[in-house]
Structures are given as structure tokens and as C-alpha cells.
Amino acid sequence: MSTNKIVPGSEFPKLCVFDSNDNLVDISRPTGEAKMQMIIIYRHRNCPKCTEHLNNLSKFRQRLLDIKIDVAAVSCGGKGDLQDHLTRLEVNFPLYYGLNLDQARDLGLHISPPEPPKVEHEFSEPGLFVIYPNGQLGLVSISNNPILRPDLNVLVSTLEKVLGK
């Protein structure tokens, strides 16, 4: 299998997806006072590891905001998937839907086949991207499964040290 992975230092592409009100939103740039953006790509609503990871990430949001990093998460699922998943999540950052497979491939994410009856469409495996204020990709972590993800405590603690908290 070949992928076209984007590499740190390259310009992160504009990433337009939908919010829960069906508005098209570019999540590749931070909102508010944050200077950097962290984007989490998760598999789908039926992935217990994704639910666990997103809920765990909420515990780190304030620490990330303190070092001027905003957070957004998105999947390849549709609006119904997002609405259903929100009933089982306790997150304090925005979630989006509608990442298309071309966007996922452009990011170098692994694409998995449908898993009927849980998921009827292809979907991307997890990824984490941190984008600098100038739009360049700073950090990237891409997984081919839901289990291998960065340890959030190590990641956030290191970012705090590097960014001067």
C-alpha cells in the first residue's frame, strides 16, 4: 500500500468539513486566541478506542489552550454518525463530520474498508496533526489502526516544555 504522507514543515492543506449545524468550516486554522491548531482524525462512532481517546483528550484541552493550541476532531462519518457519537462523548472541543476520502488520502491517512454492519462505508484510520501559526505542519502522527496513538500526557507535557509553559 502506498500513501502520500504530508511531512512536517510542509504547508498543511485547507481542511473544510461540516459542523453539527451543517456549516462548512475550515478547521486547518485555529479560532479565537489560539495560535496553533491540533486536528484529531478519528475512525467512526462505533470505535470504542476513538471514543476513549476523544474523551481523554478533553482532560488536556485547557492545558493546550494555555499554550495557545486549539483542538478540533473530525471523522469520515456523516451527520447522523456525529450526532449519535455525541451522545456517548464528554468532549469540550468541537467535533466535525464529512472528512472525505480524498482529503484523508491527501493527509496520508490509511483508508479501511467498510465493516458491516457497524460501518457501511470506507473510513480513515486515526491521525493527529499540529499546525503552526504560519500554516506549516509541525507534528504528525498517523496510525493504521485505532490502538496506536500518541500518549496524550507525554505529548501535551512535551508541547508545554517546548512552547515555554
Side-chain angles (χ1 to χ4, degrees), residues 61-73:
R61 179 141 193 243
Q62 188 56 54
R63 287 174 61 189
L64 288 164
L65 288 172
D66 289 346
I67 56 174
K68 305 295 185 204
I69 299 176
D70 202 358
V71 177

Side-chain angles (χ1 to χ4, degrees), residues 18 23 26 43-44 54 76 88 96 103 106 124 132 157:
F18 296 96
N23 298 307
D26 178 8
R43 297 174 85 217
H44 49 74
L54 293 170
C76 290
R88 290 175 277 123
Y96 301 90
Q103 290 170 312
D106 287 345
S124 72
Y132 292 137
S157 296

Side-chain angles (χ1 to χ4, degrees), residues 101-153:
L101 294 176
D102 288 335
Q103 290 170 312
R105 286 184 186 97
D106 287 345
L107 296 174
L109 298 170
H110 295 277
I111 307 299
S112 290
E115 296 177 344
K118 295 189 304 183
V119 182
E120 300 293 333
H121 55 80
E122 290 181 304
F123 58 91
S124 72
E125 292 295 339
L128 181 149
F129 305 90
V130 177
I131 301 111
Y132 292 137
N134 65 1
Q136 286 184 333
L137 178 61
L139 302 172
V140 60
S141 175
I142 293 173
S143 180
N144 66 340
N145 64 68
I147 300 166
L148 298 174
R149 298 175 196 237
D151 179 297
L152 292 173
N153 189 49

Side-chain angles (χ1 to χ4, degrees), residues 78-107:
K79 184 176 182 177
D81 290 335
L82 174 63
Q83 290 174 328
D84 180 63
H85 203 189
L86 286 171
T87 65
R88 290 175 277 123
L89 288 169
E90 296 177 19
V91 296
N92 55 6
F93 53 86
L95 267 70
Y96 301 90
Y97 72 92
L99 179 75
N100 67 53
L101 294 176
D102 288 335
Q103 290 170 312
R105 286 184 186 97
D106 287 345
L107 296 174

Side-chain angles (χ1 to χ4, degrees), residues 45-62:
R45 66 184 170 150
N46 292 314
C47 175
K49 283 295 188 188
C50 293
T51 300
E52 178 184 322
H53 185 73
L54 293 170
N55 282 333
N56 192 29
L57 181 61
S58 287
K59 298 172 188 171
F60 293 92
R61 179 141 193 243
Q62 188 56 54

